[in-house]
Amino acid sequence: MTDRSAEDDYPALYLYGVQRRFAEGDHALEILRGCDLAVWAGQSVALIAPSGTGKSTLLQIAGLLEKPDGGEVYVDKKATVNLPDDERTALRRNAIGFVYQSHHLLPEFSALENVMLPQLIRGLGKAEAADRAAGLLHYLGLGERLKHRPSELSGGEQQRVAIARSVANAPRVLLADEPTGNLDPHTSHHVFGILTRLVKETGLAAIVATHNLDLAAQMDRRVTIREGKVVELA
């Protein structure tokens, strides 16, 4: 774990000794070899690593989409590896938000409806979900786009809707995989600035995988994966 004072709270996300291997013929290909990574509330961590080093695997494990072969994943102090599948699913739905390179918005629904959906799935009433969704979209500068469908939005606007959707259920952890990879440099910086501000102001713990070193420099910490382990960068 990164050094913190004794007074600091326990990390919102803590990967401890995480291992992952895949069968490759008669051999096992070790991707992660005892990874440790702690992220605290309100902290953004850039994950900078070449393809094939286990970056996506690490995010999948952190997001409870995949189980490690060893180690533990703590979300808000809760050990998750041995939880029943239904409890892992509920924790992932309520405590973890995801943003991907492609926005994956549902084309037949408006921006407002796309952000409402995860809340409705969680069981929130329609009126409250609409209020919360509208508030998030206003916060992200999309107050005039509530009724627009994805095809009527620019690439940057679509990705901001995706960010709003990812935090609609007030998660503790945000995981983003190249969230600005499909955007032009100007739009990319704008969206990234909104994302990092959101992390600070809402107390999210965020890991953002990116190849953009300029964007990574704006984050609180930078890490990479070397020989199957997470290494802090200056």
Side-chain angles (χ1 to χ4, degrees), residues 12-168:
L13 174 67
Y14 180 27
L15 279 65
Y16 175 70
V18 167
Q19 302 172 33
R20 192 70 174 103
R21 63 188 68 90
F22 298 96
E24 190 176 71
D26 296 330
H27 305 282
L29 180 62
E30 290 192 80
I31 301 298
L32 303 177
R33 305 181 181 188
C35 288
D36 296 336
L37 178 60
V39 189
W40 281 262
Q43 187 177 69
S44 58
V45 177
L47 176 57
I48 311 162
S51 298
T53 56
K55 179 178 59 178
S56 294
T57 299
L58 187 71
L59 285 178
Q60 292 278 99
I61 291 172
L64 310 186
L65 293 168
E66 187 174 326
K67 285 190 178 183
D69 295 305
E72 185 57 87
V73 178
Y74 296 90
V75 177
D76 213 11
K77 300 184 183 180
K78 190 178 187 70
T80 65
V81 169
N82 293 319
L83 287 176
D85 287 344
D86 59 340
E87 290 187 36
R88 283 172 59 87
T89 298
L91 188 61
R92 182 171 62 245
R93 181 175 62 237
N94 299 330
I96 303 172
F98 299 89
V99 183
Y100 298 100
Q101 183 169 334
S102 297
H103 52 77
H104 297 302
L105 299 177
L106 297 175
E108 66 271 28
F109 293 115
S110 68
L112 183 71
E113 290 165 339
N114 267 281
V115 181
M116 287 174 62
L117 279 173
Q119 301 177 70
L120 296 174
I121 291 170
R122 186 179 180 180
L124 213 63
K126 189 173 181 180
E128 185 176 356
D131 285 344
R132 285 172 55 85
L136 276 169
L137 291 168
H138 275 281
Y139 175 84
L140 295 176
L142 295 170
E144 303 300 319
R145 297 287 189 269
L146 301 186
K147 296 182 179 180
H148 288 62
R149 293 185 179 184
S151 61
E152 301 171 307
L153 302 172
S154 69
E157 288 171 338
Q158 290 174 16
Q159 197 64 320
R160 277 186 280 164
V161 174
I163 291 170
R165 181 184 58 190
S166 73
V167 298

Side-chain angles (χ1 to χ4, degrees), residues 170-231:
R172 291 279 288 149
V173 175
L174 181 67
L175 303 173
D177 194 357
E178 296 289 348
T180 60
N182 286 336
L183 305 177
D184 64 80
H186 175 76
T187 305
S188 178
H189 276 270
H190 179 61
V191 170
F192 205 85
I194 288 172
L195 181 60
T196 52
R197 187 188 75 194
L198 183 68
V199 168
K200 288 291 185 190
E201 294 183 359
T202 63
L204 282 163
I207 302 176
V208 181
T210 180
H211 287 104
N212 190 318
L213 298 182
D214 289 337
L215 297 182
Q218 300 176 31
M219 304 187 73
D220 298 316
R221 291 164 52 203
R222 284 148 295 282
V223 301
T224 190
I225 300 175
R226 290 181 187 156
E227 298 181 352
K229 295 193 175 183
V230 173
V231 177

